[in-house]
Amino acid sequence: DGKIIFARGYGYSDEAKKAPVSPEATMFRVGSVSKLFTWTSIMQLQEQGKLDLDRDVSTYLDFQIPQEFGRPVTIRNLMTHTPGFQEVVKDLFGPSKGPLMPLGEYLSTHIPRQIFPPGTVPAYSNYGAALAGYIVQRLSGRPFDDYVAENIFKPLEMTHSSFTQPLPPALEKDMSQGYFRASGEPKPYEMVIAAPAGSLASSGMDMAHFMIAHLQDGQYGDARILRPETARLMHSRQFAMDPSVNGICLGFYEEDRNGHHIISHAGDTEQFHTDLHLMAGEKLGFFVSYNSLGHDDLNAGSARTALWHKFLDRYFPYSPPAASTLASAPDDARRVTGSYIFSRRSQTNLFFITALLGELRVSSPKKDGILEIDQLKGLNGLPLHWREIAPLRYRNVDGQEEILFKPAADGHLDLLGLFPVFISQSVSPLKSKPLLLPVVIASLVLILLALLLWPVGAILRRRYQHPLDLDPGIRRFRLLVHLVCILDLLFVAGIVWFVSRISGDIGALNARLDPIVHLSQVMGVLGALGSLLALYYAFLVLRSHQKGWFIKLCDVLVVLACVAFACILVGTHLLNFNLHY
């Protein structure tokens, strides 16, 4: 009801100095909660008549967004995360020192491919939010951070908030250190190139002012940042994959729980982890932010969710209506069992492999119709169980969360309800992690063994004076197979080096890594081409009378490992030379 009823800081803003967290002054990075300020800025310009939510965004830009599906991307698409863009991670964060790439340059040179027609499938997009911030900048004629400071921070008395990077000197002393792990050393201040999508630093009390303004339809004290009708429009559902699941508003997303309608937004950087929830019907807001990850079994993501749920259960107790398992549950469980890939993904570049490795696996271990989803676990680390309460609709056996499997037009199943701003889509067994991982591991083991045993065999033959008696043609192709094995391992070494460079430092994802990625891909392409020639070696070996059956089997297995590895590299786009990821 417009009053702050609880605000407290816990732990340390600087662990080494044992500096306590202050809700009034200590600033945390709020990650993607920053987007709410970008969307609020958009709505301010909309109510001033400076933009149309349903007009082609290219109208407001100094470059063009391609219409890959024959329809334009609109600002409403950006605000509901339905522009159809694939994930873009390169240059999302910048180096901790040195100048940042200008926002306009970043956006014009990193336009994502569209993998869905606009307005059809939610796929959370940092690029889309940054694009909206650039539109604010162009239409207002002011740098984005200056616009927000003047039109949101100032009227809301948010004196400890800034999008500016690095922070203005006057605020540096109030900024919390950020930690990947609380037991480790603090990390440098994270520099977000796509600033409107995630660069805000703010205090808990400042965020309370922002929440009060939205809970009061745009008003805080005597100041107004939105008209009441604009605020209500911003808080209303604009898109959902099904009427019965949570949808997306203009920037906020829905989260119905404990019988209440809630609009929310979460945010993460590598070091900070944040959650914001608004219960409009109760005029109540809830905000929490962490400056490090927690224990492996209870990280900041699950901790903030558990805290919010415990809060709701205490002050707004609720029991979901009773439901019994459907008789059709075992049959329906067999229908929905399989692998599901998130719609928020890279699709046309080497990062597609991360989407495949991050697949959800839906199973029914006891064959009784109760589902398990491998990545959805409780605070005890054990998988949640899901009971079918209506056709293809499931509820958490020990909670109130519900999910829905919905047949799509192309025959696959969409898994809805996990999160409004993206869905999961079923994939064929040929692109499922349970198949890909064992094949990759088996292939690499065979390739590595072939190379290790190559010199060992030569030494033993020389030691026991047992020369390799092969036709010259077979000998040459045998050498080719070993060369293919070497190329495959060089490719793997290059990718491992690439992953090691970006692990724990997303700011390292930039063009400086392109040469080693390209070199690795060249090795992979040569290995893939060589594996096709190696098939002829397998044919020669099988028809030859110069080797025993066991040796022939080993040679053929190595060739098949090379071919299988090549097929996976091609099928997962790891050999795609497009470095626009």
Side-chain angles (χ1 to χ4, degrees):
D1 294 323
K3 297 183 178 68
I4 297 171
I5 58 173
F6 183 87
R8 184 172 296 177
Y10 297 84
Y12 301 116
S13 63
D14 188 320
E15 197 276 335
K17 297 178 180 178
K18 298 295 185 285
V21 172
S22 161
E24 292 82 11
T26 306
M27 298 169 64
F28 279 44
R29 304 301 292 277
V30 300
S32 286
V33 174
S34 307
K35 293 179 175 68
L36 296 179
F37 292 79
T38 301
W39 306 134
T40 300
S41 301
I42 284 286
M43 296 307 291
Q44 289 178 337
L45 296 176
Q46 185 266 346
E47 70 178 17
Q48 295 168 23
K50 294 183 177 180
L51 59 80
D52 183 339
L53 298 181
D54 296 307
R55 195 171 180 182
D56 185 348
V57 294
S58 296
T59 306
Y60 307 109
L61 301 171
D62 50 0
F63 57 92
Q64 293 290 310
I65 300 296
Q67 298 185 17
E68 298 186 41
F69 289 91
R71 65 176 79 170
V73 172
T74 67
I75 294 178
R76 194 183 302 272
N77 294 149
L78 300 183
M79 298 184 78
T80 56
H81 293 282
T82 58
F85 294 144
Q86 68 176 340
E87 181 81 324
V88 177
V89 294
K90 190 175 186 180
D91 291 320
L92 184 63
F93 284 71
S96 57
K97 295 181 180 179
L100 283 181
M101 183 187 305
L103 180 59
E105 179 184 342
Y106 164 77
L107 292 168
S108 62
T109 57
H110 291 70
I111 302 173
R113 290 285 303 274
Q114 287 179 300
I115 56 177
F116 307 111
T120 61
V121 176
Y124 190 82
S125 176
N126 285 310
Y127 180 90
L131 194 65
Y134 187 55
I135 290 172
V136 171
Q137 181 170 294
R138 284 180 53 78
L139 294 183
S140 68
R142 308 182 62 182
F144 173 79
D145 48 349
D146 288 350
Y147 176 90
V148 175
E150 181 64 26
N151 293 278
I152 300 179
F153 297 158
K154 185 177 179 179
L156 298 186
E157 300 176 4
M158 298 177 67
T159 57
H160 286 79
S161 299
S162 179
F163 273 89
T164 303
Q165 302 175 104
L167 280 175
L171 294 177
E172 284 183 346
K173 62 179 175 48
D174 295 320
M175 183 64 213
S176 171
Q177 297 282 8
Y179 302 82
F180 186 69
R181 292 283 182 192
S183 55
E185 294 297 315
K187 301 294 183 181
Y189 192 78
E190 296 166 284
M191 306 292 279
V192 184
I193 294 178
S199 71
L200 174 62
S202 186
S203 70
M205 197 67 78
D206 276 16
M207 292 302 300
H209 296 180
F210 180 72
M211 291 192 293
I212 289 171
H214 272 280
L215 288 167
Q216 299 189 145
D217 289 337
Q219 185 163 353
Y220 175 79
D222 295 330
R224 177 167 290 283
I225 60 170
L226 294 172
R227 296 174 189 159
E229 63 272 20
T230 305
R232 288 193 289 268
L233 173 64
M234 187 175 178
H235 301 159
S236 64
R237 175 184 290 205
Q238 303 292 312
F239 179 88
M241 289 293 289
D242 187 90
S244 65
V245 299
N246 289 322
I248 311 171
C249 308
L250 290 174
F252 291 92
Y253 51 79
E254 295 178 325
E255 179 207 353
D256 287 356
R257 190 173 183 87
N258 285 39
H260 290 266
H261 182 254
I262 304 161
I263 57 174
S264 309
H265 211 292
D268 294 276
T269 67
E270 288 195 301
Q271 302 160 24
F272 293 87
H273 312 277
T274 303
D275 231 358
L276 181 151
H277 306 270
L278 301 180
M279 300 174 67
E282 301 293 333
K283 298 295 183 184
L284 186 141
F286 180 98
F287 173 84
V288 62
S289 190
Y290 300 77
N291 61 2
S292 67
L293 284 170
H295 188 275
D296 287 341
D297 295 331
L298 185 62
N299 61 41
S302 56
R304 66 189 176 195
T305 301
L307 176 62
W308 170 235
H309 290 175
K310 294 293 185 183
F311 173 86
L312 287 175
D313 291 343
R314 175 163 182 163
Y315 294 104
F316 303 94
Y318 173 82
S319 296
S324 57
T325 304
L326 297 188
S328 60
D331 290 336
D332 287 342
R334 285 189 288 271
R335 180 181 176 188
V336 303
T337 293
S339 295
Y340 292 76
I341 190 171
F342 291 117
S343 60
R344 182 190 182 183
R345 63 178 182 263
S346 292
Q347 178 77 44
T348 65
N349 54 58
L350 75 166
F351 267 75
F352 181 53
I353 187 66
T354 63
L356 295 177
L357 294 177
E359 289 174 351
L360 296 175
R361 183 68 182 172
V362 178
S363 61
S364 182
K366 296 181 180 180
K367 310 301 182 184
D368 57 357
I370 299 294
L371 298 183
E372 290 184 7
I373 302 176
D374 59 353
Q375 293 188 31
L376 302 184
K377 298 179 180 179
L379 294 179
N380 57 6
L382 299 177
L384 301 177
H385 295 104
W386 302 85
R387 173 185 289 116
E388 188 176 30
I389 60 172
L392 300 184
R393 177 176 290 277
Y394 293 79
R395 181 186 296 159
N396 179 3
V397 170
D398 299 311
Q400 56 182 283
E401 300 87 357
E402 293 185 7
I403 57 176
L404 174 69
F405 293 89
K406 186 174 183 177
D410 60 2
H412 72 254
L413 286 172
D414 290 336
L415 172 52
L416 314 178
L418 297 178
F419 207 55
V421 293
F422 53 81
I423 64 172
S424 295
Q425 301 170 308
S426 62
V427 295
S428 70
L430 293 178
K431 286 189 176 181
S432 65
K433 184 167 59 176
L435 174 65
L436 291 178
L437 276 181
V439 171
V440 168
I441 293 172
S443 297
L444 288 177
V445 167
L446 287 170
I447 288 170
L448 185 61
L449 281 175
L451 288 179
L452 290 176
L453 294 176
W454 185 19
V456 171
I459 292 171
L460 290 176
R461 284 192 296 273
R462 176 172 295 183
R463 171 69 177 81
Y464 293 104
Q465 298 182 349
H466 188 72
L468 189 63
D469 186 19
L470 293 176
D471 291 338
I474 295 180
R475 187 186 295 269
R476 284 193 295 271
F477 274 98
R478 181 174 182 271
L479 182 61
L480 171 67
V481 171
H482 287 109
L483 178 59
V484 169
C485 292
I486 292 172
L487 290 170
D488 287 343
L489 290 184
L490 287 175
F491 169 83
V492 172
I495 295 301
V496 168
W497 180 88
F498 173 75
V499 172
S500 69
R501 286 294 305 274
I502 65 176
S503 180
D505 182 14
I506 194 172
L509 276 169
N510 54 53
R512 288 193 292 271
L513 299 181
D514 288 354
I516 192 66
V517 174
H518 269 321
L519 181 60
S520 300
Q521 290 174 322
V522 168
M523 300 296 179
V525 169
L526 292 175
L529 294 174
S531 67
L532 297 178
L533 295 175
L535 285 172
Y536 185 62
Y537 170 71
F539 171 74
L540 294 177
V541 165
L542 289 174
R543 63 181 297 197
S544 171
H545 299 290
Q546 295 176 298
K547 291 187 173 186
W549 69 268
F550 181 74
I551 297 177
K552 287 183 178 182
L553 176 63
C554 292
D555 282 350
V556 170
L557 285 176
V558 171
V559 169
L560 292 178
C562 292
V563 172
F565 188 68
C567 290
I568 288 175
L569 295 190
V570 173
T572 57
H573 300 167
L574 283 168
L575 299 186
N576 186 328
F577 281 79
N578 169 24
L579 291 182
H580 184 52
Y581 51 78

